[in-house]
Amino acid sequence: MKLREFAQQLGLSPTTVSRALSGYPEVSEKTRKRVAEEAARLGYRPNINAVRLATGRAGAIGVVMGRTGEFHFSEFMGGLAERLSDDDIDILVSPLDEKDPESEIQLYSRLADSGRVDAIIVHSATPNDERIALLHRLGMPFLVHGRSETDVPHAWLDIDNEGAIRRATSHLLDLGHRRIAMINGRQGRTFSLHRDKGYRDALEARGIPFDPRLVAHGNFTDELGFRFARSFLEQTPRPTAFVAGSMMTALGIYRAARSMGLEIGREVSVIAHDDVFPYLTAENMVPSLSATRSSIRAAGARSADLLLQLLAGRPTSEIHELWPVELILRESTTPPQDA
Amino acid sequence: MKLREFAQQLGLSPTTVSRALSGYPEVSEKTRKRVAEEAARLGYRPNINAVRLATGRAGAIGVVMGRTGEFHFSEFMGGLAERLSDDDIDILVSPLDEKDPESEIQLYSRLADSGRVDAIIVHSATPNDERIALLHRLGMPFLVHGRSETDVPHAWLDIDNEGAIRRATSHLLDLGHRRIAMINGRQGRTFSLHRDKGYRDALEARGIPFDPRLVAHGNFTDELGFRFARSFLEQTPRPTAFVAGSMMTALGIYRAARSMGLEIGREVSVIAHDDVFPYLTAENMVPSLSATRSSIRAAGARSADLLLQLLAGRPTSEIHELWPVELILRESTTPPQDA
DNA sequence: AGATTTTACCAAACCGTTTTAAATTTGTGC
DNA sequence: GCACAAATTTAAAACGGTTTGGTAAAATCT
């Protein structure tokens, strides 16, 4: 049913009906109520594409999906979608062709002036992120999940990676560990740098020298967790503890330790960052995994909120949220054997 | 830039320009070329929402995202998005509120007549799936990833679950196993039923009686893998081999075996179904995991193709695709110790 | 060369809303 | 009961394309 027909049945003009449904003030309460009731009864719903054309709003926000190591992506999306569906806003997913490194900035560029989205979410930012500069230049609203160090103003939601890893590392130091390896995320990403900093600061506070041979960077896969852990454990003296960037990395470390006959929680301690997944929990690993924890699904939901606020006109400069991270100690962290 | 202005600059009518860009035949080759070149040069692109309103097409397909145990979801989506982005078709993600079982059919219903999507993908079908009946009734094109046994005609793309599990089970039987446990997917889903059938047929072919105490159903999480495996291994005599529904389930089984001091690949054999993830590979597990394998990302890409064909008018009855599944033997399957 | 078809293009109607600017009705103060 | 302001309602003009139904020019046929 079209607006015109519906309005006719009510004996009202399309204008009034449109306003009644959109909650504009210049409609009497009585009329508004009647319109709402009849709309429900007759099943009238405005044509979404006509609305979009008339308002110029896309009614959707864009998310770029990378290809590798993105097992946390669907959790973040889930949170986002959960919150956004209340407001009748769609999520538009664009895949990134990671074979071509040039393509990323082009993809954001295309997405921004495609008119398909009102705002964009930027993931895994770098300290001087080209995408942020681009979107700012184009005037496309966006929220960074994570942070950048660029001068370009940007709304962001991040977790306290630095603090989390500082505490995790400090905890291992408290237990007596002195050779602590870290398997971090992809080099160059802000969150990786923050984690590096947390790690180094914790060491420095104890006067332990930083050893670059104990730090590795890469995607969050069990494969890399295994390979890095393996090569670290082959060093002499070998590290007695690991700080892992993700659950998958931790799986790889567990595997590496086992493959060398080392017992996690006795000969090797492990602490990882856990984004909280319904299908793989730190609690359930054997031994149970000590972890810094922050729900990435909750972050997705909150990102949606912030994006809506941004679109509603709240200034970018106000939208900065830093979430604390829990540290949960379980069986995988114990004092070093030879301490 | 609007069509009108752009056309004016070219000295053509909006009609001709529109047709030239959409590839209609009643435009001379010379003109078409000129229009295309100028469009690229001046950066003209039709307003997507105007196109949608005028054509009545949404330019998007809908996917419903469940909440639990959906770690394969993003891989499927990735394949889908990869293919769909070539055709300028969006993916619209709707989250399912799994607290309320009523809401699922309502969600599909809303999605179908929201006008936001041209087609919908249905996952994890049941033999007599309400959603399929609904979409058919509403005349909304859809593709089932998986299959149903309903009389309602539906396009589908499925992997040969039955054959895969039959071969996996047969392989274990060939090795000499007689007590083979299976941890399957959620009860009632067609794919689970097909896997059950493959399992039972393999047993029957050898005259091994089916023992319901060796079969469990549930979401694909490591937690359930662990719990079920644990309770199976506590039986006497205990099973000597497992058929697992997913990689996460396999992780749980590995963990359960270890927690009971049993060595995988010697005292317990495991074979799982692997959807192929970039961040967790069967090859890399220790011991490496024998698996039935089929890329869910490839299935996503192909689903997009089929959906496009469906929208282009190919009859539903022609769109049925059953993919064979590879069986890859690795270290986790060996003859039983006491055989 | 004239009649007929084909090719290439165009003017105007349409898609279904929102929003601007103006008209009507209702309410208030005197 | 009247002038004036406030509260409602409306007609008409966007929004930016696609598509229908023609028309003029070029090509083909008699």
Side-chain angles (χ1 to χ4, degrees):
Chain A
M1 178 163 28
K2 304 181 188 187
L3 174 58
R4 183 153 307 165
E5 304 166 29
F6 177 56
Q8 211 149 29
Q9 295 206 23
L10 288 177
L12 288 170
S13 72
T15 309
T16 303
V17 173
S18 170
R19 285 185 163 146
L21 291 174
S22 312
Y24 279 67
E26 54 274 81
V27 173
S28 74
E29 205 44 58
K30 203 179 65 184
T31 309
R32 182 195 314 291
K33 189 152 167 260
R34 190 161 70 94
V35 171
E37 277 167 5
E38 289 296 284
R41 196 172 66 80
L42 299 174
Y44 167 74
R45 297 170 31 115
N47 177 305
I48 184 76
N49 291 321
V51 172
R52 286 172 170 172
L53 175 58
T55 60
R57 267 176 262 123
I61 69 137
V63 182
V64 172
M65 177 173 55
R67 175 157 180 164
T68 52
E70 301 270 325
F71 60 95
H72 46 239
F73 177 79
S74 60
E75 278 297 297
F76 182 85
M77 278 267 303
L80 207 57
E82 209 170 79
R83 179 66 186 77
L84 247 25
S85 66
D86 297 343
D87 291 72
D88 239 39
I89 298 203
D90 298 337
I91 296 177
L92 195 149
V93 178
S94 290
L96 180 58
D97 176 11
E98 280 173 310
K99 275 164 288 180
D100 175 10
E102 288 292 297
S103 69
E104 181 167 17
I105 194 77
Q106 284 168 19
L107 177 59
Y108 278 86
S109 176
R110 271 212 315 277
L111 189 57
D113 53 36
S114 69
R116 301 157 113 87
V117 297
D118 296 318
I120 293 180
I121 294 219
V122 173
H123 279 278
S124 299
T126 61
N128 181 20
D129 203 296
E130 233 188 314
R131 299 168 298 174
I132 293 179
L134 173 82
L135 294 175
H136 177 74
R137 197 166 60 241
L138 295 176
M140 164 66 55
F142 64 99
L143 176 89
V144 178
H145 177 217
R147 260 183 293 175
S148 174
E149 283 162 12
T150 173
D151 288 337
V152 180
H154 57 288
W156 54 262
L157 167 64
D158 198 5
I159 60 174
D160 182 11
N161 282 296
E162 184 183 327
I165 299 305
R166 188 186 327 107
R167 284 173 62 204
T169 309
S170 298
H171 168 64
L172 291 170
L173 290 165
D174 287 344
L175 288 174
H177 293 275
R178 286 301 171 265
R179 291 191 60 75
I180 301 173
M182 171 148 87
I183 302 180
N184 202 341
R186 285 179 62 178
Q187 190 111 43
R189 307 289 163 173
T190 312
F191 77 89
S192 290
L193 293 168
H194 286 164
R195 291 182 182 184
D196 277 339
K197 180 153 195 316
Y199 171 79
R200 295 173 83 137
D201 284 358
L203 291 181
E204 196 172 331
R206 310 294 173 110
I208 313 271
F210 171 75
D211 180 350
R213 292 182 315 144
L214 287 178
V215 174
H217 292 262
N219 279 330
F220 290 144
T221 67
D222 85 319
E223 160 106 33
L224 279 184
F226 176 80
R227 290 232 296 261
F228 287 139
R230 189 83 211 193
S231 82
F232 287 150
L233 289 172
E234 278 162 0
Q235 294 178 17
T236 14
R238 64 163 191 258
T240 58
F242 283 84
V243 176
S246 79
M247 293 290 287
M248 289 299 157
T249 312
L251 284 179
I253 295 173
Y254 270 47
R255 183 153 64 86
R258 281 205 196 96
S259 75
M260 297 176 74
L262 297 169
E263 190 182 334
I264 302 272
R266 236 172 41 95
E267 291 151 300
V268 179
S269 284
V270 179
I271 189 162
H273 181 72
D274 179 8
D275 287 313
V276 188
F277 305 102
Y279 45 82
L280 181 64
T281 59
E283 172 77 39
N284 286 337
M285 289 173 66
V286 176
S288 63
L289 174 67
S290 295
T292 55
R293 183 171 73 172
S294 182
S295 164
I296 196 166
R297 173 174 281 267
R302 182 61 182 158
S303 294
D305 280 331
L306 294 176
L307 218 37
L308 292 176
Q309 292 178 10
L310 189 68
L311 290 174
R314 186 171 174 202
T316 301
S317 59
E318 281 183 16
I319 304 183
H320 303 317
E321 226 170 76
L322 185 63
W323 286 15
V325 175
E326 295 176 283
L327 174 61
I328 297 175
L329 301 179
R330 299 199 184 85
E331 299 162 357
S332 68
T333 41
T334 56
Q337 253 187 335
D338 50 5
Chain B
M1 176 159 33
K2 305 180 187 187
L3 174 59
R4 184 154 307 164
E5 305 166 29
F6 177 57
Q8 210 149 30
Q9 293 206 24
L10 289 175
L12 288 170
S13 74
T15 309
T16 303
V17 172
S18 171
R19 286 189 159 142
L21 291 174
S22 311
Y24 278 67
E26 54 276 78
V27 173
S28 75
E29 205 42 59
K30 202 178 65 185
T31 307
R32 180 193 315 290
K33 190 152 166 261
R34 188 161 73 94
V35 171
E37 279 167 4
E38 289 296 285
R41 196 171 68 81
L42 300 174
Y44 168 74
R45 298 171 30 115
N47 177 304
I48 185 75
N49 291 321
V51 172
R52 285 172 172 173
L53 174 58
T55 60
R57 265 176 263 122
I61 70 136
V63 182
V64 172
M65 179 173 54
R67 175 157 181 165
T68 52
E70 301 269 325
F71 61 96
H72 46 241
F73 178 79
S74 61
E75 278 298 296
F76 183 85
M77 278 267 301
L80 206 57
E82 208 169 80
R83 179 68 185 75
L84 247 26
S85 66
D86 298 342
D87 290 71
D88 238 38
I89 297 199
D90 298 336
I91 297 177
L92 196 150
V93 179
S94 291
L96 181 57
D97 176 10
E98 279 173 311
K99 277 163 286 182
D100 174 10
E102 289 291 296
S103 69
E104 181 166 18
I105 194 78
Q106 283 169 19
L107 177 60
Y108 278 87
S109 176
R110 271 213 314 278
L111 190 57
D113 54 36
S114 70
R116 300 157 115 85
V117 296
D118 296 317
I120 291 179
I121 295 220
V122 173
H123 280 277
S124 299
T126 62
N128 181 22
D129 203 296
E130 235 188 310
R131 300 167 298 173
I132 292 177
L134 173 82
L135 295 175
H136 177 74
R137 197 165 61 242
L138 294 175
M140 164 66 54
F142 64 98
L143 176 88
V144 178
H145 178 217
R147 258 182 295 176
S148 174
E149 281 160 14
T150 174
D151 289 337
V152 181
H154 57 287
W156 54 262
L157 166 64
D158 198 3
I159 61 172
D160 183 11
N161 282 297
E162 184 183 326
I165 299 305
R166 189 186 326 106
R167 283 173 61 204
T169 310
S170 298
H171 168 66
L172 292 169
L173 290 165
D174 287 345
L175 288 174
H177 293 276
R178 286 302 170 265
R179 290 189 62 74
I180 301 173
M182 171 149 88
I183 302 180
N184 202 341
R186 285 179 63 178
Q187 191 112 42
R189 308 288 164 173
T190 313
F191 78 89
S192 290
L193 293 168
H194 286 165
R195 290 181 182 186
D196 277 338
K197 179 152 197 312
Y199 170 79
R200 295 174 82 137
D201 284 0
L203 292 181
E204 197 174 331
R206 310 295 172 107
I208 314 273
F210 171 75
D211 180 351
R213 292 183 315 143
L214 287 177
V215 174
H217 292 263
N219 280 331
F220 290 144
T221 67
D222 86 318
E223 159 106 34
L224 278 183
F226 176 80
R227 291 233 296 262
F228 286 139
R230 192 82 212 192
S231 83
F232 286 151
L233 289 172
E234 278 161 359
Q235 293 178 17
T236 17
R238 63 162 192 259
T240 58
F242 283 84
V243 175
S246 77
M247 293 291 287
M248 290 298 158
T249 312
L251 284 179
I253 295 173
Y254 270 46
R255 184 153 65 86
R258 281 204 196 97
S259 75
M260 299 177 72
L262 297 169
E263 190 182 335
I264 302 271
R266 236 171 42 94
E267 290 150 299
V268 179
S269 284
V270 179
I271 190 162
H273 181 72
D274 179 8
D275 287 313
V276 187
F277 304 104
Y279 46 81
L280 181 64
T281 59
E283 172 78 37
N284 287 336
M285 289 173 67
V286 177
S288 63
L289 174 67
S290 295
T292 54
R293 183 172 73 173
S294 182
S295 164
I296 197 168
R297 173 172 281 268
R302 182 63 181 157
S303 294
D305 280 331
L306 294 176
L307 217 39
L308 292 176
Q309 292 177 11
L310 189 67
L311 289 174
R314 188 171 173 203
T316 300
S317 61
E318 281 183 15
I319 304 184
H320 303 318
E321 227 170 74
L322 186 63
W323 286 14
V325 174
E326 295 177 283
L327 175 59
I328 298 175
L329 301 179
R330 300 199 183 87
E331 298 162 356
S332 68
T333 41
T334 55
Q337 252 185 338
D338 51 2

